[in-house]
């Protein structure tokens, strides 16, 4: 299956279209990118949720939902994301296109009005500020998220953009009112890079014409490309522990990939390294730490290829901390030395290739993978990744593993 998007640019909007008859529904996804900035992060995080309150034409959420129900139960959703040094404001629409090959005008009208003419009133803002306070509290009291952020902080240093929460801060909520949010909305609409994806059984040329002619007339700003974030590089070796009322301890180890990111030639090898180490059920950490030692309740490794970071996170009995850390370092060292059986090599390559093939069936996975490439400065396709992985040898993984030297270990537990 083809999984490369056809792209056109129109001012500060970039349209990415992918036509395939395999999709029963059409997916439209809007991604608005802002530089992480503590001065505006909280207000920007409020905006997508305020969009759901209505527009000048559709005065409340009930009217919006009624219109969506008329379009065969179309679904509208919003959320906030963070990728690299960008805060991402996300909106998506899914609907049945009924073989029209184009986007129905009713759908375009709803999308256009919510994005360009939102009803930002005192009532909607005050209600959403209360709801957003809970979202922020959920982030604050999430022990896994707290451990993740602290390990990054001690590796990367204080005051860095990567430490800024995508949802903002409790302290800043009350500084935002309807006037400030309207101004911020207009600034984003005319200045921020905005990427719009359409995936479905569509005629790409027809839809490009629809989008450029009808949807964004009078709203576009100047085009400017996003600058990829600089990869985190650190040789620091540090350990920190914080007391936490729990029977278990959460350990997060954060390490720099030595500058290897998604746009690097060695990126495919780094992906395989991560899956060998801890990204799969048959990985080293899962089999040797969780199952063999029986010293961890859960353990995994997560690759942040945009920022050039690898995280290993595990939940353990506090008494097992030293044993678990020693075994983690032993497994990393083992892969560095090229110790990899044919059985685990074949299983890892096969599972990874299958995951890419399955992801091609998911519009959201395709969109996420594509935008990672845009932010990183090199757009890859999943087919390209499968081809690259097929050509890898154990030596390539060994070479990619050599870059892991510095690390920050943060333990949230009994102390």
């Amino acid at each position: 299956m083809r999984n490369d998007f056809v792209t056109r640019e129109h001012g500060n909007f970039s349209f990415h279209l992918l036509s395939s008859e395999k999709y029963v529904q059409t997916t439209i996804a809007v991604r608005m990118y802002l530089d992480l900035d503590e001065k505006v992060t909280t207000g920007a995080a409020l905006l997508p949720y305020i969009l759901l309150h209505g527009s000048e034409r559709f005065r409340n959420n009930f009217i919006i939902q009624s219109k969506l129900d008329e379009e065969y139960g179309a679904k509208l959703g919003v959320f906030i994301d963070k990728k690299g040094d960008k805060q991402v404001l996300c909106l998506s629409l899914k609907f049945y296109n009924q073989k029209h090959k184009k986007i129905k005008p009713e759908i375009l009208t709803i999308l256009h009005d919510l994005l360009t003419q939102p009803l930002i009133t005192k009532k909607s803002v005050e209600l959403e500020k209360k709801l957003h306070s809970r979202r922020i509290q959920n982030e604050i009291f999430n022990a896994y998220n707290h451990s993740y952020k602290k390990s990054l902080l001690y590796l990367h240093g204080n005051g860095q953009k990567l430490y800024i929460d995508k949802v903002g801060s409790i302290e800043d909520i009350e500084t935002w009112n309807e006037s400030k949010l309207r101004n911020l909305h207009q600034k984003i609409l005319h200045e921020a890079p905005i990427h719009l994806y359409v995936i479905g059984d569509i005629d790409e040329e027809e839809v490009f014409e629809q989008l450029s002619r009808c949807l964004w007339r009078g709203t576009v700003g100047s085009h400017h490309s996003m600058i990829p974030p600089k990869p985190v590089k650190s040789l620091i070796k540090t350990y920190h522990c914080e007391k936490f009322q729990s029977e278990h301890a959460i350990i997060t180890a954060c390490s720099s990939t030595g500058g290897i990111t998604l746009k690097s030639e060695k990126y495919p090898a780094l992906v395989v390294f991560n899956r060998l180490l801890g990204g799969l059920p048959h990985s080293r950490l899962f089999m040797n730490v969780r199952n063999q030692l029986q010293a961890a309740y859960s353990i995994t490794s997560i690759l942040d290829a945009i920022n050039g970071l690898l995280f290993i996170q595990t939940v353990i009995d506090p008494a097992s901390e030293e044993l678990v850390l020693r075994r983690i370092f032993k497994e990393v060292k083992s892969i560095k030395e090229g110790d990899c059986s044919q059985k685990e090599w074949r299983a890892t390559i096969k599972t990874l290739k299958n995951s890419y093939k399955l992801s091609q069936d998911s519009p959201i996975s395709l969109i996420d993978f594509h935008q990672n490439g845009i932010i990183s400065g090199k757009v890859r396709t999943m087919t390209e990744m499968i081809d690259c992985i097929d050509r890898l040898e154990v030596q390539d993984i060994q070479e990619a593993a050599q870059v892991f030297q510095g690390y920050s270990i943060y333990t949230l537990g009994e102390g």
Side-chain angles (χ1 to χ4, degrees), residues 206-231:
E206 289 271 11
V207 173
F208 274 131
E209 177 63 24
Q210 280 188 293
L211 295 173
S212 59
R213 184 185 69 245
C214 305
L215 197 51
W216 313 116
R217 183 179 299 168
T219 64
V220 297
S222 301
H223 173 74
H224 57 275
S225 300
M226 286 185 284
I227 300 173
K230 293 181 179 179

Side-chain angles (χ1 to χ4, degrees), residues 1 22-23 27 94 199 357-368 382:
M1 171 197 161
K22 71 182 293 183
Y23 298 115
T27 299
K94 289 187 177 183
I199 301 178
K357 290 175 182 177
L358 288 173
S359 293
Q360 294 179 45
D361 294 332
S362 166
I364 295 302
S365 294
L366 288 170
I367 290 166
D368 192 64
M382 293 187 185

Side-chain angles (χ1 to χ4, degrees), residues 398-411:
Q398 184 181 355
E399 290 176 1
Q402 301 305 316
V403 301
F404 294 99
Q405 295 176 14
Y407 56 80
S408 165
I409 298 171
Y410 182 82
T411 299

Side-chain angles (χ1 to χ4, degrees), residues 172-232:
D172 289 342
I173 285 182
E174 289 307 318
T175 67
W176 289 94
N177 55 35
E178 59 271 28
S179 176
K180 287 183 65 177
L181 284 168
R182 286 193 202 106
N183 291 336
L184 178 60
H185 169 260
Q186 287 299 307
K187 183 178 178 65
I188 292 171
L189 193 64
H190 291 91
E191 298 180 14
I194 301 176
H195 290 251
L196 188 148
Y197 293 85
V198 183
I199 301 178
D201 186 8
I202 58 173
D203 182 302
E204 290 167 349
E205 289 301 321
E206 289 271 11
V207 173
F208 274 131
E209 177 63 24
Q210 280 188 293
L211 295 173
S212 59
R213 184 185 69 245
C214 305
L215 197 51
W216 313 116
R217 183 179 299 168
T219 64
V220 297
S222 301
H223 173 74
H224 57 275
S225 300
M226 286 185 284
I227 300 173
K230 293 181 179 179
V232 176

Side-chain angles (χ1 to χ4, degrees), residues 270-335:
L270 191 64
V271 172
V272 176
F273 166 82
N274 175 55
R275 296 303 180 98
L276 272 171
L277 178 65
L280 294 170
H282 66 260
S283 65
R284 295 287 185 86
L285 298 181
F286 190 87
M287 295 298 292
N288 297 341
V289 180
R290 185 183 184 277
N291 289 358
Q292 187 183 92
L293 286 183
Q294 297 187 341
Y297 299 104
S298 65
I299 188 164
T300 189
S301 62
I302 303 167
L303 179 63
D304 176 356
I306 296 177
N307 293 310
L309 294 166
L310 181 85
F311 294 89
I312 297 171
Q313 193 163 70
T314 181
V315 181
I316 64 167
D317 184 322
S320 303
E321 181 176 354
E322 184 177 350
L323 177 65
V324 168
L325 287 175
R326 282 184 179 179
R327 193 55 183 261
I328 288 173
F329 284 112
K330 179 181 178 180
E331 297 303 336
V332 173
K333 183 173 182 288
S334 176
I335 299 175

